[in-house]
């Protein structure tokens, strides 16, 4: 790379980041996402609180329930169901209200004064029959319904054991796993206390971050890269430029400058998102080697797609047609996410390894694998080599394409022409 | 002896089944304005791009400064292409600074040269405006400055007067003449024959990728000179045995365009005129305008092609 390539890179970077469209997108995108996220969190919280704090009507024909005793046990030894209620943000656990007859309980259900009606059959002790009446709460009602059932089950368990067992035996029988301790064995066979909650989420989120950034960067930079090359082709500047510097320097400079503009946008968003959550997710807990490997794959993936986007911009007759063509690359880049469950379930399986060895899906797949496992060293070395080779071949092809398309204003090359140029590259 | 700025030696180029250039040879000397002429689609743009190493010829060779093209030669060639454009959203000074930097100039050099050319082309009032706010003529001047900024040894200008008013055209013509006078080799591709006649010492004409005319402009004009005379006198031309055809003209100078009979020379007719006792105010041989030569050569080529096919 020569000084001229850096001159081009500087120009492309500065002209892009001072564009009105870039600045508007930079400011508007986080505001829009923030508004959508805020609305979603608010709605979820309101819905959750409403569902979990609404009382449950109990019509106990079997007379097995001692609601006062059950409530006291729930306070002393919270079962998993009660702990879930607390974590869901409910200000108080679901209250159980005794009703003498079903019609009144059902009337209150219709009036939404209670969330559900549980009718315990007179022969419950022998049949176990319970009838549950609930309003249709859609998909999310299933979770709340499960919590109500767990709450009633806890109350029935406490009431049935009352007077039968006592002391520690009662406590163990009521919440047998309340004090369970988890030990985790690592890849080297060492034992350590299992991490839970945020301690687990931190490194995983940290490992996923480069993957998320890459897909975001590809989406954001794609527009700049294909738009800038397409505009330049149609503004007829290319011929002036290639009379002043080599096509190699021009293409490399453009890719560097426009990629830097896209990465600046990603870096700002990443800063906005990650800095406030660094302590929360414990990103410092991400193994350094994995982080470095992920960032290397990020660089390989980004450069590969940047070359492809720039080339696509040169091929299209208009910005719109280039955008349509470039959608192919963004689709392929995010392709591995369509088989995400398979990759997470078997990160070193056949699907994961095949996708890793394909240049276009390799970087994203490897970042996903690094997030959930330790891929074999041979995969890491081979996929990096394939990625670097793919960048070189793509860059040479883009340079040949740029040279050829300089002479073809307003025309799109046909397939035989395209193949001839690429062979010449 | 200093190497020739441009030497094109028997180059040929073919696109698929279309012959763009066939066995083209010429040279451009230092300090001359050399015209490349030809009808649309003749191969002029391909020829210029081949000189600039944007296109590689299938056969033959192009030498710049006495050797094959080298990357550093780009800094010594100023180019105004036929298909031209500018970055419309940036200011005049920003665009020219960028293009100057691409030619290897430092920011300091760019600033000092820019102020000279901006003043010369009378663009001082628009230097900080965005290109899209400029008139077509001023945009053309900016593009010319871009070609001239690095003080190149070779200038390749494709239709440099396009979009300019007569004042701007005269200014640009004088700048081109000064560049040649300063030792720069100027290759001029244009359809404006007046400009060629005013500035160019030699020309090269292409038709369908082949050379159809090459040489000194005065020699070519003599070769294609007609036997038409322009005469201002009170003689009765119709009574002359030398005259085949008379056409009166009133503008700009009133007189007669006279075509002589075959075998009669201009001195013979002049002798008859003197002998007739007429008062003669003007007697001159009318040279054929370059434009007519161009049209004639192109028409001959088309006829030859039709016969061939």
């Amino acid at each position: 790379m020569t000084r001229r390539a850096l001159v081009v890179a500087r120009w492309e970077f500065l002209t892009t980041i001072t564009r009105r469209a870039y600045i508007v997108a930079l400011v508007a995108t986080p505001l829009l996402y923030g508004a959508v996220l805020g609305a979603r969190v608010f709605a979820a919280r309101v819905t959750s609180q409403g569902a979990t704090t609404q009382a449950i009507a109990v019509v106990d024909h079997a007379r097995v329930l001692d609601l006062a005793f059950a409530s006291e046990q729930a306070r002393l030894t919270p079962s998993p169901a009660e702990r879930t209620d607390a974590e869901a943000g409910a200000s108080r656990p679901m209250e159980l209200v005794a009703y003498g007859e079903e019609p009144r309980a059902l009337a209150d259900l219709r009036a939404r004064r209670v969330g559900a009606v549980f009718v315990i059959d007179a022969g419950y002790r022998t049949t176990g029959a319970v009838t549950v009446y609930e309003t249709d709460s859609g998909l999310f009602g299933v979770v709340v319904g499960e919590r109500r059932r767990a709450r009633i089950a806890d109350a029935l368990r406490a009431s049935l054991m009352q007077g039968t067992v006592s002391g520690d035996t009662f406590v163990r029988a009521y919440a047998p796993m309340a004090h369970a301790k988890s030990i985790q064995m690592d890849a080297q066979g060492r034992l350590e206390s299992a991490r839970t909650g945020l301690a687990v989420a931190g490194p995983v989120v940290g490992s996923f971050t480069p993957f998320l950034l890459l897909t975001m960067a590809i989406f954001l930079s794609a527009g700049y890269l294909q738009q800038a090359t397409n505009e330049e082709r149609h503004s007829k500047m290319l011929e002036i430029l290639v009379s002043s510097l080599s096509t190699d320097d021009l293409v490399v400079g453009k890719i560097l400058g426009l990629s830097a503009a896209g990465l600046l946008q990603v870096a700002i968003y990443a800063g906005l998102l990650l800095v406030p959550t660094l302590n929360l997710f414990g990103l410092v807990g991400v193994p350094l080697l994995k982080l470095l490997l992920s960032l290397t794959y990020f660089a390989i993936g980004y450069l590969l797609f940047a070359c492809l986007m720039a080339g696509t911009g040169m091929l299209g007759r208009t910005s719109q047609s280039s955008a349509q063509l470039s959608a192919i690359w963004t689709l392929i880049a995010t392709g591995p996410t369509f088989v995400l469950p398979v990759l997470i379930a078997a990160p070193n399986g056949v699907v994961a390894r095949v996708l890793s060895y394909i240049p276009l899906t390799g970087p994203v797949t490897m970042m996903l694998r690094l997030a959930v496992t330790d891929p074999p060293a041979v995969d890491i070395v081979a996929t990096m080599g394939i990625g670097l080779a793919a960048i070189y071949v793509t860059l040479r092809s883009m340079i040949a394409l740029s040279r050829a398309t300089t002479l073809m204003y307003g025309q799109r090359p046909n397939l035989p022409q395209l193949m001839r140029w690429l062979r010449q590259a | 002896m200093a190497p020739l700025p441009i030497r094109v030696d028997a180059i040929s180029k073919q696109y698929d089944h279309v012959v763009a250039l066939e066995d083209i040879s010429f040279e451009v000397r230092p300090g001359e304005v050399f015209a490349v002429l030809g009808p649309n689609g003749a191969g002029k743009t391909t020829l210029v791009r081949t000189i600039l190493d944007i296109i590689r010829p299938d056969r033959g060779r192009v030498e710049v400064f006495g050797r094959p093209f080298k990357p550093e030669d780009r800094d010594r060639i100023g180019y105004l292409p036929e298909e031209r454009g500018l970055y419309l959203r940036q200011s005049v000074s920003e665009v020219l600074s960028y293009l100057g930097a691409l030619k290897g100039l430092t920011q300091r050099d760019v600033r000092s040269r820019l102020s000279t050319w901006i003043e010369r082309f009378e663009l001082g009032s628009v230097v900080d405006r965005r290109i899209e706010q400029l008139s077509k003529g001023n945009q053309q001047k900016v593009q010319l400055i871009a070609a001239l900024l690095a003080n190149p040894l070779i200038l390749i200008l494709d239709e440099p007067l396009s979009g300019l008013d007569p004042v701007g055209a005269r200014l640009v013509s004088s700048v081109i003449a000064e560049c040649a006078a300063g030792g720069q080799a100027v290759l001029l591709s244009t359809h404006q024959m007046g400009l060629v006649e005013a500035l160019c010492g030699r020309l090269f004409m292409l038709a369908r990728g082949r050379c159809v005319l090459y040489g000194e402009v005065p020699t070519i004009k003599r070769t294609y000179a007609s036997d038409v005379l322009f005469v201002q006198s009170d003689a009765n031309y119709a009574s002359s045995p030398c005259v085949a055809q008379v056409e009166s003209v009133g503008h700009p100078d009133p007189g007669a365009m006279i075509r002589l009979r075959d075998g009669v020379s201009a001195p013979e007719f002049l002798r008859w005129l003197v002998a007739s006792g007429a008062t003669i105010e003007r007697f001159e041989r009318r040279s054929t305008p370059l434009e007519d030569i161009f049209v004639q050569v192109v028409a001959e080529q088309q006829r030859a092609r039709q016969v061939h096919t």
Side-chain angles (χ1 to χ4, degrees):
Chain A
M1 187 175 58
T2 68
R3 198 183 67 81
R4 307 273 159 106
L6 293 177
V7 172
V8 175
R10 183 174 177 275
W11 170 266
E12 294 294 343
F13 177 72
L14 291 176
T15 52
T16 302
I17 65 167
T18 50
R19 276 185 185 185
R20 200 175 299 153
Y22 182 91
I23 295 166
V24 168
L26 189 67
V27 175
T29 307
L31 288 178
L32 185 69
Y33 275 92
V36 170
L37 193 67
R40 190 182 170 282
V41 168
F42 178 75
R45 196 171 177 82
V46 167
T47 308
S48 169
Q49 279 192 346
T52 53
T53 56
Q54 217 170 9
I56 303 170
V58 184
V59 182
D60 183 10
H61 293 304
R63 300 188 182 283
V64 292
L65 276 174
D66 182 341
L67 294 182
F69 181 74
S71 296
E72 179 64 10
Q73 289 311 312
R75 192 181 62 77
L76 292 173
T77 314
S79 71
E82 285 146 358
R83 280 205 297 272
T84 307
D85 279 354
E87 284 166 13
S91 56
R92 55 197 165 88
M94 294 176 187
E95 188 188 357
L96 305 182
V97 180
Y99 280 71
E101 296 298 330
E102 286 170 50
R104 222 186 94 225
L106 292 175
D108 278 1
L109 179 64
R110 276 189 207 96
R112 310 277 172 175
R113 280 192 285 273
V114 293
V117 175
F118 283 73
V119 179
I120 299 167
D121 193 80
Y124 174 76
R125 283 178 190 274
T126 52
T127 64
V130 176
T131 307
V132 184
Y133 297 89
E134 287 171 304
T135 53
D136 184 7
S137 303
L139 183 64
F140 299 106
V142 175
V143 177
V144 178
E146 288 302 318
R147 284 192 200 152
R148 288 191 186 114
R149 282 166 177 74
R151 179 84 176 91
I152 293 292
D154 287 346
L156 281 168
R157 197 183 311 115
S159 301
L160 287 168
M161 289 192 300
Q162 187 184 15
T164 309
V165 288
S166 61
D168 289 343
T169 309
F170 177 88
V171 174
R172 294 293 84 75
Y174 177 70
M177 295 292 286
H179 300 288
K181 183 183 177 186
S182 293
I183 304 291
Q184 193 168 351
M185 183 179 284
D186 65 15
Q188 285 73 40
R190 292 186 298 254
L191 299 177
E192 58 181 16
S193 294
R195 292 170 298 171
T196 57
L198 297 179
V200 172
V204 172
V205 170
S207 300
F208 263 103
T209 301
F211 155 72
L212 294 170
L213 288 179
L214 175 63
T215 48
M216 193 201 275
I218 289 169
F219 274 113
L220 291 173
S221 303
Y224 304 132
L225 282 161
Q226 62 86 9
Q227 195 181 336
T229 45
N230 188 275
E231 272 181 12
E232 191 145 82
R233 191 178 148 217
H234 290 283
S235 73
K236 298 167 182 173
M237 277 301 291
L238 267 177
E239 196 163 352
I240 294 178
L241 295 175
V242 296
S243 72
S244 299
L245 77 168
S246 70
T247 322
D248 297 35
D249 284 343
L250 179 63
V251 173
V252 170
K254 288 185 87 63
I255 287 172
L256 283 179
L258 294 165
S259 299
L263 288 177
L264 175 68
Q265 197 171 356
V266 172
I268 290 170
Y269 293 162
L272 286 173
L273 284 170
L274 295 181
V275 169
T277 55
L278 268 179
N279 291 331
L280 184 64
F281 287 110
L283 289 183
V284 286
V286 180
L288 186 63
L289 181 63
K290 276 197 172 185
L291 192 62
L292 286 176
L293 286 172
S294 290
L295 291 175
T296 308
Y297 281 112
F298 175 93
I300 290 172
Y302 188 80
L303 280 175
L304 181 59
F305 281 97
C307 291
L308 289 169
M309 293 296 177
T312 310
M314 289 167 195
L315 284 178
R317 281 195 193 93
T318 61
S319 295
Q320 287 88 342
S321 64
S322 293
Q324 286 163 358
L325 285 171
S326 69
I328 296 168
W329 306 127
T330 45
L331 196 66
I332 295 174
T334 53
T337 56
F338 296 124
V339 289
L340 193 61
V342 178
L343 294 178
I344 289 175
N348 289 331
V350 175
V351 174
R353 295 191 76 180
V354 168
L355 287 175
S356 302
Y357 279 76
I358 298 171
L360 292 176
T361 53
V364 169
T365 309
M366 284 305 289
M367 280 190 278
L368 286 168
R369 290 175 68 188
L370 282 165
V372 292
T373 190
D374 294 319
V378 64
D379 283 9
I380 293 171
V381 173
T383 54
M384 279 190 181
I386 289 170
L388 291 172
I391 290 171
Y392 178 78
V393 171
T394 312
L395 187 60
R396 295 309 315 170
S397 304
M398 290 312 106
I399 288 166
L401 207 56
S402 174
R403 203 180 168 93
T405 54
T406 305
L407 320 172
M408 298 190 66
Y409 297 120
Q411 300 168 47
R412 186 191 286 177
N414 55 34
L415 194 59
Q417 279 176 321
L418 201 58
M419 296 313 294
R420 193 170 65 240
W421 295 337
L422 295 180
R423 270 200 308 275
Q424 284 168 359
Chain B
M1 186 179 161
L4 288 167
I6 299 172
R7 197 168 84 85
V8 175
D9 184 14
I11 61 166
S12 297
K13 178 75 186 176
Q14 189 166 337
Y15 296 114
D16 296 326
H17 302 294
V18 179
V19 176
L21 296 173
E22 188 175 321
D23 199 25
I24 300 297
S25 299
F26 65 84
E27 59 191 38
V28 184
R29 300 164 188 158
E32 79 165 332
V33 184
F34 182 83
V36 172
L37 308 178
N40 295 330
K44 300 189 297 293
T45 304
T46 302
L47 177 60
V48 167
R49 286 172 176 170
T50 309
I51 294 168
L52 287 163
D53 198 43
I54 296 173
I55 295 174
R56 305 264 159 79
D58 299 333
R59 287 188 304 278
R61 57 187 272 148
V62 175
E63 286 184 359
V64 178
F65 306 112
R67 48 164 174 66
F69 189 94
K70 286 187 173 178
E72 56 265 32
D73 290 331
R74 293 193 183 97
D75 293 351
R76 307 204 281 175
I77 302 176
Y79 178 41
L80 177 73
E82 180 193 12
E83 292 278 3
R84 45 185 169 260
L86 287 166
Y87 295 108
L88 298 178
R89 295 193 198 96
Q90 277 68 42
S91 72
V92 172
S93 59
E94 284 172 336
V95 170
L96 289 174
S97 297
Y98 174 52
L99 295 175
L102 290 181
K103 286 286 183 191
L105 298 179
T106 62
Q107 284 303 302
R108 195 173 166 183
D109 286 341
V110 169
R111 272 196 297 275
S112 68
R113 292 182 194 194
L114 204 53
S115 64
T116 307
W117 284 115
I118 289 288
E119 192 180 333
R120 182 72 203 275
F121 281 101
E122 298 161 356
L123 291 175
S125 60
V126 297
V127 72
D128 292 321
R129 283 202 200 152
R130 289 203 304 273
I131 298 286
E132 64 190 355
Q133 296 173 316
L134 268 54
S135 67
K136 198 177 172 191
N138 280 344
Q139 287 188 12
Q140 174 73 353
K141 288 179 182 176
V142 172
Q143 286 165 328
L144 272 162
I145 293 175
L148 293 162
L149 199 58
N151 199 21
L153 293 173
I154 297 172
L155 257 178
I156 298 177
L157 307 174
D158 203 338
E159 292 295 356
L161 304 191
S162 169
L164 293 170
D165 60 27
V167 177
R170 188 166 292 187
L171 174 64
V172 171
S173 299
S174 67
V175 168
I176 294 171
E178 284 167 29
C179 288
Q184 289 168 283
V186 183
L187 189 152
L188 186 68
S189 172
T190 182
H191 288 130
Q192 300 205 12
M193 298 302 152
L195 185 65
V196 176
E197 292 201 59
L199 292 178
C200 300
R202 295 189 308 132
L203 67 80
F204 181 91
M205 189 170 157
L206 279 165
R208 299 184 68 81
R210 295 174 182 86
C211 172
V212 290
L213 269 183
Y214 176 40
E216 308 275 346
V217 173
T219 308
I220 288 171
K221 289 193 73 172
R222 266 200 304 278
T223 306
Y224 284 83
S226 67
D227 52 0
V228 174
L229 301 170
F230 176 72
V231 183
Q232 283 181 325
S233 77
D234 55 358
N236 178 13
Y237 306 116
S239 64
S240 170
C242 306
V243 174
Q245 189 182 347
V246 181
E247 185 188 346
S248 294
V249 289
H251 182 79
D253 300 312
M257 300 295 283
I258 293 171
R259 187 178 294 278
L260 301 176
R261 290 181 190 280
D262 288 345
V264 178
S265 68
E268 279 179 69
F269 176 58
L270 181 59
R271 278 195 292 275
W272 176 86
L273 208 56
V274 172
S276 71
T279 307
I280 305 166
E281 292 178 19
R282 205 161 159 189
F283 183 94
E284 64 184 46
R285 187 191 293 274
R286 273 287 153 98
S287 65
T288 308
L290 209 48
E291 188 167 323
D292 289 356
I293 298 174
F294 180 91
V295 172
Q296 187 183 331
V297 171
V298 170
E300 282 169 8
Q301 286 298 314
Q302 282 175 342
R303 274 197 299 275
R305 198 173 75 248
Q306 281 164 357
V307 168
H308 183 71
T309 54

